[in-house]
Amino acid sequence: MTTGHSDHIWDDDALHEECGVFGIFGHADAGALSVLGLHALQHRGQEAAGIVTYDEGHFIAERHSGLVGDAFGRNSQAARNLKGHFAIGHNRYSTAGGSRASNIQPLFADLAGGGLAIAHNGNLTNAHTLRTDLVAQGAIFHSTSDTETIIHLTARSTKARIVDKLIDALCQVQGAYSLVALTSKKLIGVRDPNGVRPLVMGQLDGAYIFASETCALDIIGAEYVRDVKPGEMVVVDKDGVHTHFPFKPQAHRFCVFEYIYFARPDSTLEGRNVYEARKNIGAVLAEESPVDADMVIPVPDSGVPAALGFANEAKIPFELGIIRNHYVGRTFIEPSDSIRHLGVRLKHNPNRAKLKGQRVILVDDSIVRGTTSKKIVAMVRDAGAAEVHFRVSSPPTTHSCFYGVDTPNTDDLLAHKMDVEQMRRFIGADSLAFISMNGLYRAMGKAERNAKAPAFCDACFTGDYPIALTDISGGTRQLSLLADVA
Ligand code: AMP
């Protein structure tokens, strides 16, 4: 994906990351617990995993490509190396070009005041501009990750204390971030002022934990304490927990797509259980776009809770008409196009005996490029279904996300190019309907979408971006960081 050109390259495969982060302070098994925490967050990133611990005067870093279990499995050398009572970890998910080893987090740097490790979930929207300035001033970058910008800015801060240096750095960045950071004495958890990405806090045996989702607390038997608030920096050290709100307050805009697709259904984020949210969305979808049919079939696994909600509301039997092979990752996450296209066949198989002669309603969470839905509809028809109706538990995805969910360029989004009827024809369904915007808000317990102050970040459905898109060209492409280091 590198172009070798250094000026104003808008790159199709710019780094958009949706990741999982984990941090723990004050536990003898900090490294092993981080491995487990990252394993629970595996759905947030499958390309690479890394953990940094601090032990008696030095930091230990293990960063590896692949799944958490690949490198950090039982008795692995990597897991054994992770000594110490403090740790942070990161699961990485990136598009092509982001797979280089130097991008695997946590990033670490030896600053004037000591070591600093950072793990970041989200995406900065002015990283290119900041990086260009920093490079002009002599900074030498080692990765193409936007997160490294935060390290450089922290290193350059003239403040005395590391917490203040980090605040200084974060005051200069725009975008979405849920960060965990580790020094020799402190664990820090911080969310951007809009609170776009999740970050929760937990406790285990007196140790404090930060994690992207509550499912990472469950796996280690930790108790959920609370969500880190938008714009809040929580610092944990030997004296306890200190909380700061160092940024200018902004409207709270948590990513609604975390509920629709990204988070694990057994997680509770900002007081709302993800599974229940998805079921509610399915029920509202059934109310809004009913259709006479013999069965409701989820596109597994992401469509399952919404399909259940739909089936209950419509009083139509829920059936597993498509079986998923669990040994293949999420298709969308595979970095190369050829694998993505192959992926659907590798992953889903129709349950022919169930489908023959039936009028079916397929429920999935989203249509992005449309590749998956088109293949699924054809597969279900080939298996003998008499009618195939498609229901989508999100509004049409018309805009790219620049805050950390990997979506293609706007031009590649099916809903950006087509209206619903054209999309129906493209995917080959007998009918197609998406949940309405107000329907989505209703399912989330709001009366409707308040256009002046929406309760969520729903930019991928509305184009209403709550955070400045400094490095974005015409709202469609993110300036690549990689181009400049080619
Ligand atoms: P597509 O073939 O591009 O329309 O892919 C749509 C499917 O990808 C949906 O069924 C979702 O389950 C899944 N999906 C949607 N958004 C993402 C994302 N950002 N990352 C990974 N998978 C996604």
Side-chain angles (χ1 to χ4, degrees), residues 411-428:
D411 300 341
D412 296 325
L413 298 173
L414 200 66
H416 184 74
K417 303 182 280 202
M418 297 183 188
D419 63 23
V420 175
E421 172 53 20
Q422 288 168 323
M423 286 194 270
R424 182 196 67 74
R425 266 187 267 134
F426 178 87
I427 68 167

Side-chain angles (χ1 to χ4, degrees), residues 141-474:
F141 277 76
H142 295 285
S143 76
T144 63
S145 153
D146 54 347
T147 310
E148 195 181 347
T149 319
I150 300 174
I151 300 250
H152 281 273
L153 293 171
T154 309
R156 279 158 183 261
S157 169
T158 53
K159 303 275 191 233
R161 297 185 321 139
I162 185 73
V163 168
D164 295 322
K165 284 177 188 284
L166 185 59
I167 291 171
D168 220 11
L170 293 175
C171 284
Q172 296 170 68
V173 308
Q174 294 165 350
Y177 54 85
S178 279
L179 292 181
V180 291
L182 185 70
T183 71
S184 59
K185 297 194 180 71
K186 294 177 198 301
L187 173 70
I188 302 166
V190 56
R191 277 176 89 191
D192 67 76
N194 295 93
V196 176
R197 298 279 144 238
L199 191 65
V200 300
M201 243 177 109
Q203 253 193 316
L204 176 70
D205 306 333
Y208 279 93
I209 297 155
F210 294 112
S212 294
E213 297 182 31
T214 56
C215 64
L217 302 178
D218 296 340
I219 193 173
I220 57 171
E223 178 200 342
Y224 164 79
V225 174
R226 65 177 178 89
D227 288 48
V228 175
K229 298 194 179 79
E232 184 182 21
M233 177 182 273
V234 183
V235 181
V236 188
D237 59 21
K238 66 174 180 15
D239 302 322
V241 175
H242 319 272
T243 176
H244 310 260
F245 287 89
F247 314 114
K248 199 167 151 244
Q250 303 287 341
H252 185 182
R253 302 286 291 274
F254 184 65
C255 168
V256 76
F257 199 62
E258 290 275 352
Y259 290 118
I260 293 169
Y261 171 77
F262 224 95
R264 236 170 74 160
D266 51 340
S267 285
T268 293
L269 302 175
E270 307 220 322
R272 195 179 270 107
N273 174 249
V274 175
Y275 176 73
E276 286 305 325
R278 286 183 194 165
K279 271 180 78 179
N280 287 346
I281 295 172
V284 173
L285 185 58
E287 230 175 81
E288 286 186 345
S289 301
V291 56
D292 203 16
D294 302 310
M295 59 185 69
V296 175
I297 293 176
V299 177
D301 288 327
S302 53
V304 172
L308 265 173
F310 193 110
N312 289 347
E313 177 66 28
K315 302 198 170 37
I316 298 175
F318 170 93
E319 299 285 1
L320 296 181
I322 302 168
I323 302 302
R324 174 173 168 189
N325 182 329
H326 281 270
Y327 304 96
V328 185
R330 289 181 179 190
T331 51
F332 209 92
I333 287 171
E334 302 295 347
S336 105
D337 247 11
S338 56
I339 298 174
R340 180 160 44 238
H341 288 286
L342 242 187
V344 175
R345 262 183 295 151
L346 289 174
K347 211 164 101 169
H348 295 118
N349 194 42
N351 187 357
R352 285 170 196 279
K354 202 74 223 172
L355 294 170
K356 203 163 171 27
Q358 301 295 302
R359 297 166 304 157
V360 307
I361 303 172
L362 294 178
V363 179
D364 201 358
D365 60 272
S366 56
I367 294 182
V368 182
R369 290 184 173 89
T371 326
T372 312
S373 355
K374 192 180 172 81
K375 292 199 174 184
I376 295 273
V377 171
M379 182 194 283
V380 168
R381 278 202 201 283
D382 286 351
E387 288 175 26
V388 182
H389 302 276
F390 210 95
R391 295 291 177 271
V392 186
S393 65
S394 64
T397 305
T398 48
H399 292 74
S400 302
C401 175
F402 301 107
Y403 306 139
V405 172
D406 174 33
T407 37
N409 283 325
T410 311
D411 300 341
D412 296 325
L413 298 173
L414 200 66
H416 184 74
K417 303 182 280 202
M418 297 183 188
D419 63 23
V420 175
E421 172 53 20
Q422 288 168 323
M423 286 194 270
R424 182 196 67 74
R425 266 187 267 134
F426 178 87
I427 68 167
D430 294 291
S431 74
L432 169 66
F434 295 77
I435 193 165
S436 70
M437 207 58 223
N438 281 337
L440 174 62
Y441 273 77
R442 255 194 304 129
M444 305 302 289
K446 311 283 171 194
E448 58 177 9
R449 181 178 193 270
N450 175 350
K452 287 210 181 87
F456 296 98
C457 177
D458 52 22
C460 52
F461 310 126
T462 59
D464 176 1
Y465 292 98
I467 307 171
L469 302 181
T470 302
D471 291 344
I472 314 303
S473 152

Side-chain angles (χ1 to χ4, degrees), residues 68-87:
V68 178
D70 294 346
F72 297 101
R74 186 143 48 127
N75 293 329
S76 66
Q77 191 55 47
R80 279 205 300 269
N81 290 347
L82 294 171
K83 301 206 164 37
H85 287 62
F86 316 149

